[in-house]
Amino acid sequence: MNHIRNFCIIAHIDHGKSTLADRLLEYTKTISKRDMQAQLLDNMDLERERGITIKSHAIQMNYELDGQKYVLNLIDTPGHVDFSYEVSRSIAACDGALLIIDSAQGIQAQTISNLYLAIEQGLEIIPILNKIDLPSSMPEEVSDQIVDLIGCERESILRASGKTGEGVKEILEAVVHRIPHPKGDEDKPLKALIFDSVYNSFRGIIAYFRVYDGKIKKGDNVKFLATGKEYYADEVGILRLDLEPKDEVKAGDVGYIISGIKEAREVKVGDTITHVANPTKSVVKGFEDVKPMVFAGIYPVDTEDFEELRESMYKLQLNDASLTFEPESSAALGFGFRCGFLGMLHMEIIQERLEREFKMTCITTVPNVSYHCYTIKGAMIIVNNPSDLPDVNHIEHIEEPFISAQIISRAEYIGAIMTLCLGKRGILKNQIYLTTDRIELKFDMPLAEVVFDFFDKLKTISRGYASFDYHPIGYISSELVKLDILLNKDNVDALSAIIHRDRAFDYGKKICEKLKELIPRHQFEIPIQASIGAKVIARETIKALRKDVTAKCYGGDISRKRKLLEKQKEGKKRMRQVGSVEIPQSAFMAVLKLD
């Protein structure tokens, strides 16, 4: 065990984690030149297209230093704030972390939050300046920032370049010398933590684990403590580029187990594996439960696909433990699921993966956050969906989730950023100059305001220089109302929203105008109304498609024409009572792009 090192790579998005991981794999000859490709560990099409890491990826490398052979288990993690749950899971399975900082951009918001995650778990941190080959790199300035942040020695900061491979040898030496070897006892009963799992259509569910005590052999009878189920270990092994079967995996190491599990619900990330015959007394302290931030309904386009969608969701949840969902039904869309996501990018990725990996075409409703509603009788209702909100006369007050947002940017953009945050009902808490031209702003903001387009706007006004990170701070009482959208006098529950009273009129007007553009004209006139309770605050009308019924009257008395028009009017009236309005998918998504 003295020759095993478990470590992960953490950094802000786009600071070069995956590229540096490629160089480490090349240097340790884990992968041959022929198989090499950029972002090797990012094996999903989506990750390659967008150039971001979505899933953590574990891989084992063999390394020799001073005649000693070492086993290095590396986990490459995502950098985006929406996937910070993946980072916390990876950190739980490691003893050390490489903190990578782009020497051209310096320390940014997720750098700090990922660093705090690692420090809380007591990991050994190795700071690395990446991209030092760039002409715009500022190694000295950024080194000062790192010393201020971590309080480490200036000499302990390594310099590297993921593109050229410079400094990779020093990084591997630092991993061996600085990161502690795993603590554990091979003779104790088996205790292993599941930190990830994937679904394979031929082999069932493959669970990835880290062994703390004892060892697991092929053919063992094992038990998953959280679910209490018992399995036979058909195959155990280690994680190389492909799965590599072994006879046993010992304490301190990272491996996988295939035991013919078919049901996705039976594997919980954070669960402990032990032997049936000699179980461990203690459970591994896993990581905290995921707290979804954004809720949206996902419905199949065809109601018959509901069961298929459920299976797809379970398989996706295996691979992405931060997705939570429960069945719900909507009057407009039929049966579907209420899903919890960690943010808007997470929601977009899940939608894309359902389409690509499971061939499911879905309708997604407007995302919202969950509210706490207190009734006059003193009961507290959790409202995840606007349609769950009780009538106005039963409500005492509503509380909405607030977040503490941390924005790091150049000083020249401070005015524009403040205007944006204060316009989103933010409260400025603190501002600190990190260096002469870099500033850190802290705001308390309602999560509902951040969910839609805040991140895009922040990037636009700061020309891409601002970085943003947040964490929840609890629920605060606000003046909120439920805004309903009525089409042809029928309430469309999928378009309802809970919104601040000051914003309701503007929002209602915009959404009515947008729907007027997007809903096709019908044979009858359609009124679109936005209302708060019984009070209509905005209205637009889609004119009817009319056929000229008087065309065949050639001359003659006006009463003949009037008779035909009256007849048509009666028909339209009846059609309006019976006819239903076709709402295209683009109308549900348009709400996101109101500005």
Side-chain angles (χ1 to χ4, degrees):
M1 246 164 70
N2 297 346
H3 298 143
I4 298 177
R5 301 286 182 274
N6 296 324
F7 67 101
C8 59
I9 300 184
I10 54 175
H12 185 82
I13 189 166
D14 205 23
H15 278 205
K17 296 178 290 301
S18 300
T19 316
L20 199 68
D22 288 351
R23 298 294 84 76
L24 294 173
L25 295 177
E26 261 180 11
Y27 191 88
T28 55
K29 299 191 172 53
T30 306
I31 177 141
S32 62
K33 273 274 193 284
R34 191 183 65 184
D35 295 334
M36 193 62 211
Q37 61 188 104
Q39 289 173 293
L40 181 81
L41 293 176
D42 294 351
N43 49 14
M44 226 185 288
D45 301 345
L46 264 175
E47 292 180 313
R48 296 188 163 283
E49 281 165 28
R50 291 172 178 243
I52 56 174
T53 305
I54 294 168
K55 282 284 301 161
S56 304
H57 300 280
I59 191 163
Q60 191 176 91
M61 306 181 285
N62 291 345
Y63 175 60
E64 195 169 314
L65 180 66
D66 306 333
Q68 273 290 359
K69 289 190 172 162
Y70 291 92
V71 172
L72 310 181
N73 291 312
L74 155 75
I75 303 182
D76 178 26
T77 65
H80 197 283
V81 62
D82 279 14
F83 304 114
S84 56
Y85 186 63
E86 287 281 330
V87 183
S88 72
R89 285 167 34 190
S90 309
I91 286 172
C94 291
D95 303 302
L98 304 183
L99 177 72
I100 292 180
I101 294 147
D102 184 332
S103 59
Q105 295 184 39
I107 286 173
Q108 293 191 298
Q110 274 101 352
T111 315
I112 297 176
S113 71
N114 288 343
L115 171 70
Y116 287 158
L117 277 177
I119 290 174
E120 276 167 26
Q121 288 277 356
L123 268 60
E124 178 64 39
I125 311 285
I126 300 178
I128 296 167
L129 273 185
N130 196 16
K131 307 193 185 180
I132 54 164
D133 57 312
L134 291 180
S136 58
S137 118
M138 314 171 290
E140 298 308 321
E141 286 175 41
V142 181
S143 295
D144 291 342
Q145 291 177 20
I146 298 172
V147 172
D148 286 348
L149 180 68
I150 310 179
C152 61
E153 296 297 320
R154 217 185 155 85
E155 297 71 51
S156 68
I157 300 171
L158 303 175
R159 297 189 178 186
S161 161
K163 193 194 288 176
T164 61
E166 185 183 338
V168 170
K169 180 170 174 284
E170 289 75 16
I171 291 174
L172 286 165
E173 285 174 9
V175 166
V176 169
H177 293 314
R178 291 202 223 166
I179 291 177
H181 62 79
K183 313 263 187 301
D185 189 346
E186 282 184 29
D187 302 326
K188 281 189 178 172
L190 171 67
K191 182 162 81 171
L193 167 82
I194 299 179
F195 66 88
D196 204 355
S197 54
V198 291
Y199 180 78
N200 181 314
S201 43
F202 301 108
R203 320 257 344 235
I205 288 155
I206 305 171
Y208 297 162
F209 58 82
R210 147 114 195 244
V211 187
Y212 284 92
D213 288 328
K215 49 189 162 195
I216 183 166
K217 293 183 180 160
K218 184 179 174 174
D220 279 351
N221 286 321
V222 293
K223 181 177 181 178
F224 288 18
L225 287 181
T227 55
K229 301 227 184 246
E230 298 179 3
Y231 303 103
Y232 173 79
D234 291 335
E235 182 179 311
V236 295
I238 53 169
L239 304 160
R240 303 296 285 222
L241 194 56
D242 295 316
L243 303 178
E244 195 173 286
K246 289 269 190 239
D247 288 335
E248 63 176 12
V249 180
K250 296 180 182 170
D253 221 336
V254 174
Y256 70 90
I257 176 169
I258 299 175
S259 51
I261 307 172
K262 294 285 183 286
E263 280 290 313
R265 278 152 277 192
E266 293 175 21
V267 177
K268 294 255 190 303
V269 169
D271 195 354
T272 306
I273 307 178
T274 187
H275 282 133
V276 175
N278 183 13
T280 176
K281 301 283 185 290
S282 59
V283 179
V284 181
K285 286 277 178 288
F287 14 91
E288 75 283 357
D289 267 350
V290 57
K291 295 185 190 72
M293 304 290 254
V294 177
F295 292 87
I298 289 186
Y299 294 86
V301 175
D302 261 341
T303 328
E304 290 117 50
D305 296 342
F306 176 71
E307 279 305 321
E308 208 173 313
L309 179 63
R310 186 200 297 263
E311 282 310 306
S312 307
M313 295 287 256
Y314 276 124
K315 285 171 187 170
L316 202 54
Q317 194 179 33
L318 269 182
N319 204 293
D320 182 351
S322 52
L323 169 69
T324 57
F325 61 90
E326 56 187 43
E328 74 161 2
S329 64
S330 143
L333 300 169
F335 290 105
F337 292 97
R338 181 101 199 130
C339 304
F341 307 99
L342 296 182
M344 290 295 278
L345 177 69
H346 187 213
M347 175 177 137
E348 214 177 299
I349 295 290
I350 292 288
Q351 221 177 328
E352 288 244 344
R353 287 184 68 184
L354 279 171
E355 277 182 24
R356 290 186 186 200
E357 294 173 28
F358 303 103
K359 307 284 182 288
M360 294 298 308
T361 39
C362 305
I363 293 175
T364 312
T365 62
V366 183
N368 57 15
V369 297
S370 74
Y371 299 91
H372 287 174
C373 170
Y374 290 85
T375 61
I376 294 167
K377 292 178 179 169
M380 195 268 277
I381 304 167
I382 295 176
V383 180
N384 284 337
N385 194 337
S387 56
D388 301 342
L389 199 67
D391 291 337
V392 186
N393 47 358
H394 294 299
I395 297 173
E396 188 185 305
H397 70 279
I398 304 174
E399 293 182 347
E400 62 177 331
F402 265 66
I403 56 167
S404 167
Q406 176 188 33
I407 297 168
I408 295 177
S409 180
R410 291 194 174 172
E412 65 205 76
Y413 303 119
I414 181 170
I417 291 173
M418 279 196 168
T419 311
L420 173 70
C421 293
L422 296 173
K424 296 274 189 189
R425 298 193 283 135
I427 304 155
L428 181 65
K429 285 293 182 191
N430 199 353
Q431 71 183 65
I432 306 163
Y433 276 88
L434 299 171
T435 60
T436 47
D437 68 333
R438 287 174 71 76
I439 188 162
E440 177 187 350
L441 297 168
K442 281 199 172 158
F443 285 92
D444 283 357
M445 299 174 79
L447 179 63
E449 298 284 345
V450 177
V451 160
F452 288 131
D453 52 359
F454 179 79
F455 193 62
D456 298 343
K457 282 188 175 167
L458 181 68
K459 284 289 183 200
T460 311
I461 59 174
S462 66
R463 307 216 174 106
Y465 277 110
S467 66
F468 173 67
D469 184 59
Y470 61 83
H471 60 268
I473 53 172
Y475 283 75
I476 295 174
S477 181
S478 289
E479 183 79 5
L480 299 167
V481 290
K482 179 183 170 195
L483 184 78
D484 287 319
I485 302 296
L486 307 168
L487 281 182
N488 197 9
K489 308 236 169 60
D490 287 336
N491 186 355
V492 182
D493 59 352
L495 289 172
S496 301
I498 295 173
I499 195 163
H500 197 268
R501 193 180 283 279
D502 302 348
R503 298 282 170 87
F505 175 73
D506 261 1
Y507 180 81
K509 192 167 171 11
K510 276 184 185 163
I511 200 167
C512 286
E513 286 167 0
K514 195 80 177 173
L515 289 173
K516 185 181 176 182
E517 288 169 29
L518 291 166
I519 294 174
R521 287 171 70 185
H522 288 56
Q523 294 280 333
F524 50 93
E525 190 177 88
I526 306 168
I528 304 170
Q529 295 163 309
S531 74
I532 296 173
K535 183 183 174 190
V536 173
I537 57 167
R539 169 175 171 143
E540 293 285 334
T541 310
I542 300 175
K543 292 279 178 261
L545 281 170
R546 304 192 67 136
K547 180 178 160 194
D548 188 2
V549 288
T550 58
K552 62 176 185 277
C553 292
Y554 198 68
D557 189 29
I558 185 70
S559 60
R560 287 179 61 201
K561 287 187 180 178
R562 190 153 299 141
K563 186 179 162 193
L564 285 167
L565 286 168
E566 285 298 325
K567 197 172 162 191
Q568 184 186 29
K569 197 169 161 189
E570 281 300 312
K572 295 273 180 215
K573 201 164 157 190
R574 200 164 58 246
M575 190 186 269
R576 182 163 154 185
Q577 285 163 359
V578 183
S580 62
V581 183
E582 288 281 313
I583 310 173
Q585 159 74 13
S586 56
F588 292 109
M589 293 321 287
V591 186
L592 305 181
K593 303 185 178 71
L594 278 182
D595 298 341

